């Protein structure tokens, strides 16, 4: 089969398309014929060797795939050959024609969701769900600012928060991104490239501030976020690419908090709840993964370059 192989950590050039043997599922494992693989920012940090989780080399990137079950190992009961599934982590990597996943890493993909969309489920929607439900403990009638709403996690969070009954504000850095965030359900959208846009956000809350901020770039925004919070507000740090200094006094007066997590650290109970919630939302159409760009598997390097560039518009997926 064809697969992307990383033989050493490094730049885009280490992503090589190679011919390797198709793996066979052992007991408790599932072989998935991958029809689309989601590209996430952490894939690029992992490839560069700068991520907290370092895979053994050589490895094939990708936790998020969607496709059809090709074969199952002994003891697998959850799925059978022919079932449509999405993966939440894999054993052998989703940037390939076939991937092995543990039985518990495959989940049913509803018929109304395309494979491209299915490749955009786990990391983006799992993160949005954990951020809103578990971390922020969001409830209907609250206000949320999705700070970085045009990308994978942001579009997921906008759709989810809107369906939960929150008032949703989003930000994007291009007109295309702003239009997308509006289309996906945000009540108001702001340009995070424009000086003073934060004052515009405060203004639409009548000066009260927002209850929740889902932050995609904490090193740039966290200090200002603390000033945008309402009383008992909470910032949920999802993305961060450097250090930042904040004035804790901004939190004290508001009885506000900053919370943070990585999806790798959640409990199995939380993960089960997330999949149940996501599958229900996919089935009823409130969750609609946005595929911004489909690229052939051979263009994994281009996908890794573009995912870190400004101008996000949904997910980038690779098609084997
Ligand atoms: P993505 O698809 O590449 O989207 C990036 C988003 O950040 C876009 O909406 C982009 O907007 C926005 N952005 C750019 N500059 C910004 C600024 N100054 N202020 C606010 N937002 C800005 O990435 P993603 O998959 O949504 O992930 C977002 C971040 O969360 C990444 O850093 C990723 O590593 C992290 N993440 C963390 C977890 C976790 O477990 N904690 C899970 C998933 C993702 P424009 O392009 O329109 O400017």
């Amino acid at each position: 089969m064809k697969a992307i192989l990383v033989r050493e950590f490094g730049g885009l050039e280490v992503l090589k398309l190679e011919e390797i043997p198709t793996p066979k599922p052992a007991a408790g494992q599932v072989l998935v014929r991958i029809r689309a693989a989601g590209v996430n920012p952490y894939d690029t940090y992992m490839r560069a060797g700068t991520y907290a989780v370092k895979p053994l080399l050589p490895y094939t990137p990708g936790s998020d795939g969607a496709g059809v079950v090709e074969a199952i190992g002994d003891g697998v009961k959850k799925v059978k050959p022919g079932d449509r599934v999405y993966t939440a982590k894999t054993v052998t990597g989703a940037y390939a024609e076939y991937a092995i996943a543990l039985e518990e890493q495959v989940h049913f993909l509803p018929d109304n969701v395309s494979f491209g969309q299915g490749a955009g489920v786990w990391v983006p929607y799992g993160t949005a769900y954990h951020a809103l439900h578990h971390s922020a403990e969001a409830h209907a009638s609250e206000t949320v600012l999705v700070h970085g709403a045009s990308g994978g996690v942001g579009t997921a969070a906008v759709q989810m928060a809107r369906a939960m009954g929150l008032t949703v504000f989003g930000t994007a850095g291009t007109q295309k991104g702003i239009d997308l965030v509006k289309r996906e359900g945000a009540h108001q959208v702001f340009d995070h490239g424009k000086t003073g846009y934060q004052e515009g956000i405060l203004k639409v809350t009548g000066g009260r501030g927002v209850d929740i901020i889902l932050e995609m770039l904490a090193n740039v925004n966290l200090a200002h976020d603390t000033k945008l919070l309402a009383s008992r507000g909470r910032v949920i740090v999802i993305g961060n690419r450097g250090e930042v200094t904040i004035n804790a006094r901004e939190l004290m007066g508001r009885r506000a908090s900053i919370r943070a997590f990585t999806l790798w650290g959640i409990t199995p109970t939380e993960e089960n709840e997330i999949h149940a919630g996501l599958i229900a939302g996919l089935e009823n159409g409130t969750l609609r993964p946005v595929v911004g760009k489909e690229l052939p598997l051979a263009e994994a390097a281009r996908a890794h370059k573009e995912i870190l560039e400004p101008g996000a518009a949904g997910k980038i997926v690779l098609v084997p």
Side-chain angles (χ1 to χ4, degrees):
M1 68 167 184
K2 287 193 169 40
I4 296 292
L5 223 58
V6 173
R7 294 187 176 277
E8 57 179 331
F9 297 120
L12 300 174
E13 70 287 350
V14 303
L15 293 161
K16 298 247 166 57
L17 186 69
E18 297 198 20
E19 189 70 39
I20 60 169
T22 304
K24 289 193 171 49
Q29 295 185 338
V30 177
L31 179 68
V32 181
R33 166 83 171 94
I34 297 290
R35 299 286 301 277
V39 177
N40 289 295
Y42 92 85
D43 298 345
T44 71
Y45 322 147
M46 198 177 256
R47 183 214 72 228
T50 56
Y51 198 54
V53 181
K54 277 196 182 59
L56 287 175
L57 296 169
Y59 81 101
T60 294
S63 54
D64 296 10
V68 176
V69 174
E70 180 80 11
I72 55 174
D74 286 348
V76 171
K77 295 201 169 49
K78 184 173 170 183
V79 293
K80 58 180 187 323
D83 285 345
R84 301 173 90 247
V85 293
Y86 70 90
T87 64
K89 292 170 271 182
T90 66
V91 176
T92 58
Y95 289 19
E97 287 180 312
Y98 294 89
I100 294 280
L102 302 178
E103 182 176 17
E104 59 268 28
Q105 293 172 335
V106 296
H107 303 273
F108 287 108
L109 185 67
D111 288 339
N112 58 323
V113 183
S114 71
F115 291 119
Q117 290 180 301
V121 172
W122 172 234
V123 168
Y125 281 83
T127 301
Y129 190 102
H130 188 68
L132 283 165
H133 289 270
H134 299 150
S135 194
E137 300 167 282
H139 52 81
S141 85
E142 288 195 300
T143 49
V144 61
L145 168 64
V146 182
H147 214 165
S150 49
V153 179
T155 48
V158 166
Q159 294 169 359
M160 202 174 288
R162 182 71 198 246
M164 289 166 70
L166 282 86
T167 298
V168 183
F169 304 132
T171 75
T174 62
Q175 192 55 49
K176 189 177 173 195
I178 289 170
D179 293 343
L180 171 71
V181 178
K182 275 189 196 148
R183 217 164 42 238
E184 294 311 320
H187 293 90
Q188 305 239 24
V189 188
F190 301 84
D191 184 342
H192 53 230
K194 283 218 169 110
T195 313
Y197 72 96
Q198 295 98 334
E199 279 65 48
I201 297 170
L202 257 189
K203 206 166 157 200
V204 295
T205 68
R208 176 185 171 274
V210 293
D211 297 304
I212 299 163
I213 299 177
L214 303 189
E215 183 53 61
M216 305 303 155
L217 201 53
N219 53 302
V220 172
N221 296 321
L222 193 59
H224 213 295
D225 284 348
T226 60
K227 300 178 190 167
L228 289 181
L229 286 175
S231 177
R232 293 175 191 262
R234 48 269 187 219
V235 181
I236 314 300
V237 176
I238 294 174
N240 180 59
R241 292 180 180 162
E243 294 189 2
V244 58
T245 303
I246 64 158
N247 182 352
R249 192 164 287 281
E250 298 288 350
L251 300 172
M252 293 157 73
R254 294 174 171 84
R255 303 175 69 183
S257 55
I258 299 172
R259 306 173 188 180
F261 68 89
T262 73
L263 200 57
W264 307 112
I266 66 171
T267 66
T269 307
E270 287 170 331
E271 187 167 338
N272 284 340
E273 183 189 321
I274 289 172
H275 288 294
L278 297 189
I279 291 171
L282 292 167
E283 280 172 345
N284 70 27
T286 51
L287 305 183
R288 307 164 303 275
V290 178
V291 179
K293 191 174 285 178
E294 285 194 358
L295 295 173
L297 183 60
E299 292 192 34
R302 179 177 160 199
H304 273 217
K305 179 171 177 283
E306 292 186 4
I307 186 108
L308 295 182
E309 288 173 347
K315 288 295 303 175
I316 300 178
V317 305
L318 294 170
V319 181

